[in-house]
Amino acid sequence: MARRKTENRVDLSAFDQAGARVIDNPLTTEVEDSYLEYAYSVIHSRALPDARDGLKPVHRRILWSMSEQGHRPDRAYVKSARVVGDVMGKYHPHGDVAIYDALVRLAQDFSLNTPLIDGHGNFGSPDDGPAASRYTEARMSREAMLLVGELGEGTVDFKPTYDGSDLEPKVLPAAFPNLLVNGTSGIAVGMATNMIPHNLGEVVAAARHLITNPEADLDELMRFVPGPDLPTGGQLLGLDEVRRAYETGRGVVRIRAKAQTGLLEGGRGRQAITVTELPYGVGTEKIIEAITDEVKGKLITSGPRRGQRQAVRLQGIADVKDLTDREHGTRLVIECKVGVNPQALLADLYRLTPLESSFGINNLVLVDGQPRTLGLKALLEVFVQHRYEVVTRRTTYRRTKREDRLHLVDGLLIALIDIDRVVALIRASDDAGAAKASLMSEFGLSDIQATYILDTPLRRLTRFDRIELETEQEKLRGEIAELSRILDNEDVLKQVVSDELAAVTSEFGRPRNTTLIDGDLKEVLAASIPAGPLEVADDPCQIILSATGLIARTAAESEESAEARKRSGRVKHDTVRAIIHATARGRILLITNRGRAFKTDVLPLPVLPEQSGTVSLRGGMSASELVPLEKGEQVVGLAPLTPGESPGLALGTRLGVVKVCAPEWPVRSDEFEVITLKEGDEVLQATWLADGAEALVFVTTDASLLRFPAKLVRPQGLKGGGMAGINLTAGSSVVSFNVVSTSEASHGEPMVVTSTGTQVKVSPFSSYPAKGRATGGVRVQRFLKGETELVVAWVGPRPVGASSTGDPVELPEPDARRDGSGVAVIMGPQLIGHHIERD
């Protein structure tokens, strides 16, 4: 039939001569009719999912084709191109690219909670597309078999394919709520659908509750389905908006990445933000691109400022690394600059990048061929009714099959009662038709029964086969009765559907991925904004090195808050080895026993927690987390980078060398030596001098103590090897080196603590006279029988004993005798520190 589109009437003579029939139709009417046909076709045949099985036609055809071709989970993988070609040639007359894209989505575990295709090869990522269909392989997943497993039992209607050469199902039986579990998206003409995934176990639990409680309201169902569950995890904010979407079928939810702040691994104490879960549909490359645009200023591509960059809105980021892999999953590390509050930076990242994104829920689906927007309860009701119909049709099919078989078994048993007569009738008949007629008239058999008896070999008509047939007859009657009970009793039908759903959850249920944050979205977002600026205030604080080697800082505070703390009570630190003053955003030096110095930032150091007015040093961090220490190397002192009026850093070594290192630190190097050590020597203690009026004290293993003024030691540069501090006797070495100030009355009178491991002695520092540098000392403790050397010594204010694990050990009362032997102490101290009051 020929057609001509025109707005006005035309001359039809040319067509009349050819004998053609011409229909004169206005162009506007033709366009409207054609457009409506096109829109209807897109809505029903391409874009919108069926509410029963949750599949669009292309997905349904892919699964049907793979099922028909035998590409099941227990079979080998086949080329994806083979599947695409079969689907395109038989069922879906559209482009192969569209079919392959649909197949790929069914295989992506970051797109679906329960992938329906078991893919082998590169099926893409949230950032990148898949490999070509000729490179990938596919087969149906075990979950997909739940959608197609009952197709051969008359459970659904079939329709002709596009060319009428074959049949395809109108809908799949769908043994689980695929639409809610996996979600879907599609754009039709004038409408679109966008459904968010949910947890399989939660949705099934809600469906089962609805089966037993059809009048259940939305709040009851949300006890089982509290919110969406995305395959990529993350955090979903504001459940009030989720409830609105469940009620009306439309809504917008906010999804946020899951991230944590902490020290950067191997980053010398730098802070970092580690992202482990991303919003649905967002990849790491998209995040990195957005961060780069915000850090550099996004390039303007149109308008009068085209080619220029907008103002930088994101600050405080030093580096971004994508460490994502298949073994560990998502891992995006965002390194913070020094002095940046990572919580405030994370809030900016949520605000300015796709680390926080929105998902617009629009539950538009086909119900009885008509597009409708459904809420949570309506979607569950449609699925449950579909399962009722599927199970009813399946049960009817199975009962019919068993009734047909029982009819044949009954006929065989009738024939077996008088088998000789049956054989005689058959032998006396002229042909098969006559034999069948004789059997039907003689034994009262039906046409089907008589035909089956004639087709049955005589060897089966034996005594043993009769027993088997009678057993089968009883079994069939029992199965028919059970199937009839399902069809005749609605409660039994509901129980069957509920039990089958429970079995699906038992086999395929998985824990929830997405964390739900309850409340109104605006209130949740407001509560998540951290207090304080992006950059930490450069307030004064104290850096503390404990006797166990832990480093920490006190909380930075203003003069007002510090004064308030003084009024409320002084804070003391136990077993402190060294302490210096700095600022929260400043830098300090860590001095090791091998004479090396490392620059490190103060901000990454943990703030000591307060407990009942005392600050616990157990909250500190190991120096190896801050700087790259070698095996056996440990931090023995602290120093500020800004020297002020100090003459320098005092160091004492195990071989009796003393050095005051002039504070002329290199600017461009973060690691350098502060003393040149002889072979076999090491630094015992490095202490920052306040004004040079302190006393330097050596204590040796043979119980000799030497004190002399620090001003006797001339400051040296970094390359200097120091000078003689104390004369050592043969076989002895230095066990302790300390810097003591006698002018700080607030810290109490300095004490000397020595220990042989079993005996501990505490004596006033004033009992020991000052001598010259490079001389021998005076006796500090008298050895008892069996004692040969000191193992621990400490000189300083407010001495505190501790074990090697940092547990406190009570020290004896001071003994003014220089040659006393000390007091026996259980678990004698292996470490000695002191109390320092916070100024």
Side-chain angles (χ1 to χ4, degrees):
M1 178 178 66
R3 262 185 163 172
R4 170 175 290 183
K5 302 176 183 178
T6 177
E7 293 183 355
N8 303 308
R9 298 194 61 83
V10 297
D11 183 9
L12 306 180
S13 57
F15 296 93
D16 293 339
Q17 293 176 2
R21 181 182 178 187
V22 179
I23 298 176
D24 185 17
N25 197 24
L27 180 60
T28 55
T29 303
E30 181 70 13
V31 170
E32 289 175 358
D33 293 344
S34 299
Y35 189 77
L36 285 175
E37 290 179 6
Y38 165 74
Y40 181 84
S41 174
V42 171
I43 291 171
H44 284 264
S45 303
R46 296 179 68 177
L48 298 185
D50 192 293
R52 295 169 290 179
D53 61 6
L55 296 173
K56 295 192 286 188
V58 63
H59 298 132
R60 189 179 303 115
R61 288 164 178 166
I62 290 172
L63 295 179
W64 166 243
S65 173
M66 295 184 75
S67 176
E68 284 292 280
Q69 297 301 316
H71 306 319
R72 297 180 176 86
D74 57 345
R75 306 286 181 85
Y77 293 96
V78 296
K79 286 289 186 182
S80 299
R82 177 178 172 183
V83 176
V84 171
D86 187 73
V87 172
M88 182 170 59
K90 293 181 179 179
Y91 310 109
H92 198 68
H94 300 282
D96 58 331
V97 175
I99 298 174
Y100 183 54
D101 288 345
L103 183 148
V104 165
R105 187 179 186 277
L106 294 180
Q108 293 175 336
D109 57 2
F110 54 85
S111 295
L112 306 183
N113 275 329
T114 57
L116 303 178
I117 298 294
D118 180 7
H120 184 246
N122 178 15
F123 278 82
S125 70
D127 293 305
D128 300 317
S133 61
R134 62 183 179 274
Y135 297 122
T136 61
E137 297 177 328
R139 64 184 179 189
M140 298 178 71
S141 68
R142 293 170 58 237
E143 293 88 343
M145 297 305 298
L146 296 174
L147 299 182
V148 302
E150 302 162 307
L151 278 173
E153 297 183 286
T155 52
V156 296
D157 295 329
F158 282 71
K159 64 179 180 179
T161 56
Y162 70 93
D163 60 357
S165 62
D166 206 341
L167 294 176
E168 62 175 322
K170 293 182 178 179
V171 67
L172 297 185
F176 69 93
N178 175 61
L179 184 60
L180 281 167
V181 171
N182 282 326
T184 189
S185 62
I187 301 176
V189 178
M191 59 185 69
T193 184
N194 200 32
M195 301 189 65
I196 197 166
H198 292 78
N199 184 271
L200 173 63
E202 295 176 354
V203 173
V204 167
R208 296 185 66 200
H209 181 75
L210 192 61
I211 290 173
T212 56
N213 301 275
E215 302 302 322
D217 59 15
L218 180 59
D219 291 328
E220 288 184 59
L221 296 177
M222 287 190 67
R223 294 205 321 256
F224 302 96
V225 187
D229 185 29
L230 306 171
T232 54
Q235 304 176 82
L236 195 143
L237 312 180
L239 295 188
D240 289 351
E241 188 65 30
V242 172
R243 192 190 186 286
R244 282 190 285 271
Y246 284 168
E247 185 175 14
T248 64
R250 293 177 181 271
V252 179
V253 296
R254 190 72 63 89
I255 307 169
R256 176 178 285 182
K258 185 175 290 186
Q260 59 185 6
T261 60
L263 291 175
L264 177 66
E265 185 177 350
R268 296 194 178 187
R270 288 186 178 273
Q271 295 280 353
I273 299 170
T274 303
V275 181
T276 55
E277 296 178 8
L278 291 173
Y280 186 54
V282 176
T284 54
E285 291 184 10
K286 187 181 296 184
I287 299 294
I288 295 174
E289 181 181 356
I291 291 175
T292 302
D293 289 341
E294 296 297 339
V295 169
K296 294 182 178 179
K298 187 179 294 184
L299 190 66
I300 299 174
T301 58
S302 61
R305 298 180 58 197
R306 180 178 180 181
Q308 301 180 17
R309 291 189 177 273
Q310 67 180 17
V312 174
R313 298 193 295 174
L314 190 59
Q315 299 178 352
I317 295 179
D319 194 12
V320 181
K321 298 177 181 177
D322 185 6
L323 306 180
T324 302
D325 57 34
R326 293 184 181 272
E327 181 179 357
H328 301 95
T330 301
R331 184 174 171 81
L332 183 66
V333 180
I334 303 169
E335 184 179 344
C336 305
K337 290 182 178 179
V338 177
V340 169
N341 179 358
Q343 292 294 340
L345 176 58
L346 181 58
D348 285 345
L349 288 170
Y350 283 144
R351 180 172 56 88
L352 299 173
T353 72
L355 282 177
E356 183 175 298
S357 59
S358 298
F359 187 98
I361 298 176
N362 186 17
N363 298 337
L364 182 65
V365 294
L366 292 176
V367 181
D368 297 329
Q370 300 298 319
R372 291 177 55 191
T373 302
L374 303 181
L376 176 64
K377 182 177 180 180
L379 288 169
L380 289 172
E381 287 175 337
V382 170
F383 170 76
V384 169
Q385 290 299 325
H386 177 56
R387 285 305 297 169
Y388 288 159
E389 181 181 354
V390 167
V391 174
T392 299
R393 294 179 62 166
R394 183 191 69 194
T395 305
T396 302
Y397 176 88
R398 291 177 179 178
R399 186 176 69 173
T400 300
K401 286 291 185 182
R402 282 156 179 76
E403 288 174 342
D404 293 343
R405 176 59 185 169
L406 180 61
H407 185 60
L408 297 177
V409 171
D410 289 341
L412 283 174
L413 287 173
I414 292 173
L416 284 175
I417 293 175
D418 197 352
I419 186 62
D420 294 334
R421 191 177 173 191
V422 170
V423 173
L425 282 174
I426 296 173
R427 293 184 64 183
S429 301
D430 295 333
D431 52 28
K436 181 169 67 172
S438 298
L439 290 174
M440 293 172 62
S441 62
E442 186 70 21
F443 295 98
L445 301 175
S446 68
D447 184 88
I448 295 175
Q449 288 175 321
T451 302
Y452 187 70
I453 291 172
L454 291 173
D455 293 339
T456 302
L458 284 176
R459 59 185 174 81
R460 288 195 55 194
L461 304 179
T462 64
R463 174 172 170 272
F464 296 104
D465 282 312
R466 179 176 179 177
I467 296 174
E468 292 178 3
L469 288 171
E470 289 176 345
T471 303
E472 184 181 1
Q473 184 185 50
E474 291 301 317
K475 180 182 179 182
L476 288 171
R477 287 174 178 172
E479 291 177 350
I480 291 172
E482 182 63 27
L483 294 171
S484 297
R485 194 167 71 93
I486 296 174
L487 294 174
D488 298 338
N489 192 322
E490 184 179 351
D491 292 337
V492 177
L493 173 64
K494 290 182 177 181
Q495 188 61 46
V496 170
V497 173
S498 179
D499 291 344
E500 290 179 354
L501 287 173
V504 171
T505 301
S506 177
E507 184 174 2
F508 298 102
R510 297 175 183 173
R512 164 173 282 277
N513 296 317
T514 302
T515 302
L516 302 177
I517 300 178
D518 199 1
D520 180 76
L521 180 59
K522 293 182 179 179
E523 295 178 358
V524 171
L525 292 175
S528 64
I529 299 176
L534 175 64
E535 295 187 349
V536 176
D538 201 20
D539 293 330
C541 62
Q542 291 177 317
I543 316 302
I544 304 165
L545 172 66
S546 77
T548 54
L550 299 178
I551 305 174
R553 66 182 173 94
T554 60
E557 59 186 12
S558 64
E559 294 181 3
E560 292 80 3
S561 59
E563 195 63 34
R565 295 176 70 99
K566 285 183 179 181
R567 290 193 300 269
S568 63
R570 290 172 175 170
V571 179
K572 298 180 179 180
H573 308 283
D574 294 333
T575 61
V576 173
R577 184 170 190 171
I579 183 168
I580 60 172
H581 294 268
T583 59
R585 294 180 58 190
R587 304 191 79 190
I588 59 170
L589 282 179
L590 304 183
I591 315 300
T592 74
N593 60 330
R594 297 188 180 176
R596 296 199 297 169
F598 294 90
K599 295 179 182 177
T600 187
D601 299 315
V602 172
L603 187 63
L605 296 177
V607 179
L608 293 176
E610 292 188 27
Q611 298 174 352
S612 302
T614 301
V615 178
S616 172
L617 286 173
R618 298 293 178 86
M621 67 186 299
S622 172
S624 59
E625 299 181 57
L626 291 168
V627 295
L629 299 179
E630 298 175 353
K631 185 178 180 179
E633 190 173 15
Q634 59 182 344
V635 174
V636 296
L638 307 173
L641 282 181
T642 53
E645 300 297 328
S646 172
L649 180 69
L651 305 100
T653 75
R654 189 169 297 281
L655 297 184
V657 175
V658 65
K659 177 182 178 180
V660 173
C661 183
E664 298 173 357
W665 318 131
V667 177
R668 297 183 179 180
S669 178
D670 286 343
E671 175 186 337
F672 51 90
E673 290 187 354
V674 292
I675 185 174
T676 301
L677 295 173
K678 296 180 181 179
E679 185 177 353
D681 200 2
E682 65 173 336
V683 178
L684 296 178
Q685 178 76 21
T687 304
W688 186 250
L689 297 177
D691 52 14
E694 298 91 344
L696 306 183
V697 185
F698 282 95
V699 180
T700 65
T701 55
D702 60 354
S704 179
L705 182 149
L706 174 64
R707 60 176 284 192
F708 56 86
K711 62 183 180 181
L712 297 181
V713 183
R714 176 178 52 83
Q716 296 179 323
L718 296 177
K719 299 298 183 181
M723 56 187 69
I726 184 174
N727 288 336
L728 298 174
T729 59
S732 67
S733 61
V734 176
V735 70
S736 172
F737 171 78
N738 297 101
V739 176
V740 180
S741 175
T742 58
S743 61
E744 298 181 1
S746 61
H747 290 171
E749 182 183 4
M751 293 287 172
V752 179
V753 184
T754 55
S755 174
T756 61
T758 57
Q759 301 292 117
V760 178
K761 178 190 173 188
V762 179
S763 54
F765 181 62
S766 57
S767 301
Y768 302 91
K771 300 181 65 177
R773 179 183 61 82
T775 61
V778 298
R779 181 180 294 277
V780 70
Q781 182 165 338
R782 178 170 57 85
F783 293 139
L784 298 178
K785 184 177 180 180
E787 296 177 341
T788 58
E789 63 179 15
L790 296 178
V791 294
V792 175
W794 171 266
V795 184
R798 299 185 183 276
V800 176
S803 67
S804 59
T805 59
D807 296 323
V809 175
E810 187 174 352
L811 299 178
E813 293 296 323
D815 184 354
R817 298 175 301 163
R818 293 206 307 260
D819 59 349
S821 58
V823 177
V825 175
I826 298 176
M827 292 181 63
Q830 299 174 2
L831 299 169
I832 297 294
H834 63 280
H835 280 306
I836 292 291
E837 294 181 354
R838 183 170 179 178
D839 296 329

